[in-house]
Amino acid sequence: MKFKQSEVQNQRIERITTSHLVVGIDMAKETHVAQATNFRGIVLSNRHLSFSNTIEGFEKLQRWIEGLQQKHRLNSVIVGMEPTEHYWWNLANWLTNKGSNVVLVNPATTKRNKENRDNSPSKSDPKDALVIADIVSRGYYYEHTRQTQEFQRLRTMMSDREFWVAYSVRLQNRIIRWLDIRFPEYTSVFKDWTCKRSMATLKELPLPQDLALRSITDMITTWRKHMHRAGGSTGTQKAAELISQAKRSVGDLTALAEAKQDLERLIAEYERIVEMLGEMQKQILAILSEIPMASQLRSFKGLGPIFVAAILAGAGDLRQYAHGRQLLRKAGLNLAESTSGKRKGQIVISKRGDSTLRKYLFLATLQLIGVNPVFRELHEYNVKVKHMKKQRSVFKLLGKVALILISIVQKGETFTPEKESHIIAQAA
């Protein structure tokens, strides 16, 4: 059955009946604002409610909702809010635990509907809350579902990992900058400055002035402090190249003592982060071992543990999706087109979804094209026979990846090469 967003929207509208109180909440760091309407979008509250981001504020909201339900004889309530930063998380979970039906509204939808109520581009918290309630009453929302403990732990770990990976990249860029200034010839000797021999050099003799007066034997002796196989033909060759480049270096000669201290701090911090990321990966693998579908996904050749963890962290339990297109929409990878009259607009991805999930689905597809024979053949066929641009082929295959992920989870099976060929043929 083909998944259509319009059908889903109609189902959402049908769920909101004459007995529903529709509450829209504009989220902020300290003070939230709520407005309430009926299923037709008619305002039911005399004025908006402002409440604090505390337990007292949450209870104030609940009393206000219950009062409106009693006054207007409404026995159901649906609460809508924007997932603004992290401010919405605690209130959404508190309301869910209290049995309220909580739904989320895309901020882009709110932005584009501000003028619907009063034909004015003005902005205020009460107006935003009313716009959110209006959007919910028309079915433009998606459910807030609490994931199980394992998925919540995985999401927390992957969010934490994203931060430290980004920090690690910043440190690496800073170290490369240091080398570009102080020893620009260094990377011609060590293409990968993070290898053991290079790291030993940066710790002991980072400046060209330190290296220029050393012999090959001195260099190998220095490396042996940090690694077992420091010598040999490779070690001798690298030492000779490094000394030669140091003697002819054009690196900056000012503030050398301070520069060395700067590099020492950078290297120490980089190694600390690398060790931390290694420990985090062990914890992520332990959590994955508690999620049965993770082993099914990892049977998909080329889909490593970090990709599996990132997809499950962003998408949650894949059993809640009926089709791969729903997963694509969750990631903002569904297609959007702007066409009017005789003008046919360009088709692009919507980018209305989880950006981290979108990134890892894209990277996972690139990985599969590189290591999975079936996907490599499909990519080559798209590019050479169908004459697709490479990027378009990647996005086409990304749709197949989403379809396969949902399919193998729904069927509860591991992924064998035979099934791989069969499912790919069905997806073509």
Side-chain angles (χ1 to χ4, degrees):
M1 177 179 177
K2 189 174 181 180
F3 173 80
K4 294 182 179 179
Q5 178 63 13
S6 58
E7 294 175 1
V8 174
Q9 184 192 347
N10 290 337
Q11 292 170 7
R12 291 168 180 166
I13 294 173
E14 290 170 0
R15 286 178 50 192
I16 302 175
T17 65
T18 55
S19 63
H20 266 91
L21 177 72
V22 182
V23 179
I25 303 178
D26 183 68
M27 308 302 298
K29 181 177 175 61
E30 297 178 353
T31 304
H32 312 311
V33 175
Q35 287 271 35
T37 71
N38 64 6
F39 78 108
R40 292 184 182 275
I42 299 173
V43 181
L44 299 180
S45 49
N46 293 328
R47 68 184 304 275
H48 67 272
L49 174 75
S50 296
F51 61 100
S52 61
N53 189 30
T54 61
I55 185 63
E56 292 79 13
F58 294 177
E59 291 172 346
K60 179 182 178 181
L61 171 67
Q62 187 176 34
R63 290 193 300 271
W64 181 76
I65 290 174
E66 291 172 352
L68 288 173
Q69 283 186 277
Q70 185 176 5
K71 179 180 178 181
H72 298 279
R73 298 180 181 179
L74 302 171
N75 53 30
S76 300
V77 62
I78 181 168
V79 182
M81 62 186 72
E82 290 179 338
T84 307
E85 297 291 340
H86 53 276
Y87 306 142
W88 64 280
W89 183 251
N90 292 332
L91 176 60
N93 289 337
W94 188 85
L95 288 169
T96 301
N97 291 338
K98 291 292 183 179
S100 297
N101 182 16
V102 179
V103 298
L104 303 177
V105 173
N106 194 310
T109 306
T110 305
K111 182 178 180 181
R112 285 163 174 75
N113 282 271
K114 285 188 187 297
E115 297 187 34
N116 287 355
R117 300 282 311 190
D118 57 5
N119 194 31
S120 170
S122 62
K123 183 190 184 309
S124 66
D125 292 345
K127 179 181 176 180
D128 287 351
L130 194 56
V131 171
I132 291 170
D134 195 50
I135 291 169
V136 171
S137 69
R138 291 187 286 122
Y140 292 101
Y141 63 82
Y142 56 97
E143 302 289 342
H144 167 61
T145 52
R146 292 291 301 273
Q147 298 293 335
T148 61
Q149 187 71 18
E150 291 76 15
F151 285 98
Q152 291 185 44
R153 289 169 59 204
L154 189 60
R155 185 177 182 87
T156 300
M157 285 297 301
M158 290 305 297
S159 175
D160 193 20
R161 182 182 180 276
E162 278 293 291
F163 172 82
W164 291 112
V165 167
Y167 182 49
S168 171
V169 171
R170 287 177 58 194
L171 283 173
Q172 292 179 59
N173 290 338
R174 183 77 181 181
I175 293 171
I176 291 171
R177 176 185 178 275
W178 190 99
L179 290 170
D180 288 343
I181 294 172
R182 302 292 172 176
F183 196 171
E185 301 81 8
Y186 188 85
T187 51
S188 67
V189 180
F190 293 112
K191 303 297 181 184
D192 177 15
W193 64 265
T194 64
C195 69
K196 289 184 178 180
R197 209 173 255 111
S198 173
M199 292 295 285
T201 305
L202 294 178
K203 289 178 182 178
E204 299 285 344
L205 305 165
L207 292 168
Q209 294 75 17
D210 298 327
L211 293 164
L213 301 177
R214 303 281 174 167
S215 66
I216 293 175
T217 303
D218 292 336
M219 290 302 306
I220 293 174
T221 301
T222 300
W223 288 338
R224 282 204 177 102
K225 297 177 184 178
H226 301 271
M227 56 189 298
H228 296 297
R229 300 181 63 181
S233 58
T234 302
T236 302
Q237 180 185 353
K238 289 293 181 184
E241 290 178 8
L242 198 59
I243 293 169
S244 174
Q245 293 292 352
K247 290 178 179 179
R248 55 195 295 272
S249 178
V250 296
D252 188 8
L253 300 176
T254 60
L256 297 181
E258 290 75 14
K260 289 182 73 171
Q261 291 174 1
D262 181 26
L263 184 63
E264 286 175 8
R265 288 188 288 266
L266 289 170
I267 293 294
E269 183 69 356
Y270 171 73
E271 290 187 325
R272 185 181 73 86
I273 300 303
V274 169
E275 183 179 356
M276 182 194 301
L277 289 171
E279 290 299 319
M280 291 177 70
Q281 181 152 345
K282 292 178 183 177
Q283 294 177 42
I284 290 168
L285 289 173
I287 298 173
L288 286 178
S289 67
E290 300 175 20
I291 303 175
M293 71 177 63
S295 60
Q296 295 172 245
L297 298 179
R298 291 189 64 182
S299 66
F300 193 177
K301 182 181 178 181
L303 206 61
I306 293 301
F307 287 125
V308 171
I311 291 169
L312 293 179
D317 192 336
L318 296 184
R319 289 173 297 184
Q320 66 186 308
Y321 301 97
H323 197 282
R325 280 189 289 272
Q326 289 175 287
L327 178 60
L328 293 179
R329 187 171 290 276
K330 171 73 173 178
L333 285 165
N334 53 302
L335 299 180
E337 180 183 2
S338 176
T339 300
S340 177
K342 295 182 179 180
R343 180 182 66 83
K344 184 171 178 62
Q346 184 179 7
I347 298 176
V348 296
I349 60 172
S350 69
K351 295 187 179 180
R352 294 286 187 268
D354 189 312
S355 59
T356 303
L357 177 60
R358 183 163 64 248
K359 179 182 80 171
Y360 276 100
L361 281 172
F362 179 77
L363 293 176
T365 304
L366 291 180
Q367 174 78 357
L368 289 168
I369 290 172
V371 304
N372 189 298
V374 175
F375 274 83
R376 189 186 306 118
E377 289 176 14
L378 282 172
H379 182 60
E380 290 175 356
Y381 178 78
N382 288 339
V383 173
K384 295 179 180 179
V385 179
K386 291 189 173 182
H387 304 292
M388 287 185 187
K389 291 184 178 179
K390 289 184 179 180
Q391 187 174 10
R392 184 184 174 189
S393 173
V394 171
F395 279 103
K396 184 176 178 63
L397 293 177
L398 198 155
K400 295 184 186 295
V401 171
L403 179 67
I404 292 169
L405 293 178
I406 301 303
S407 176
I408 61 178
V409 169
Q410 291 290 354
K411 293 180 179 179
E413 300 173 345
T414 56
F415 209 52
T416 63
E418 294 76 18
K419 292 175 183 175
E420 182 176 278
S421 300
H422 177 66
I423 293 176
I424 289 291
Q426 284 185 326

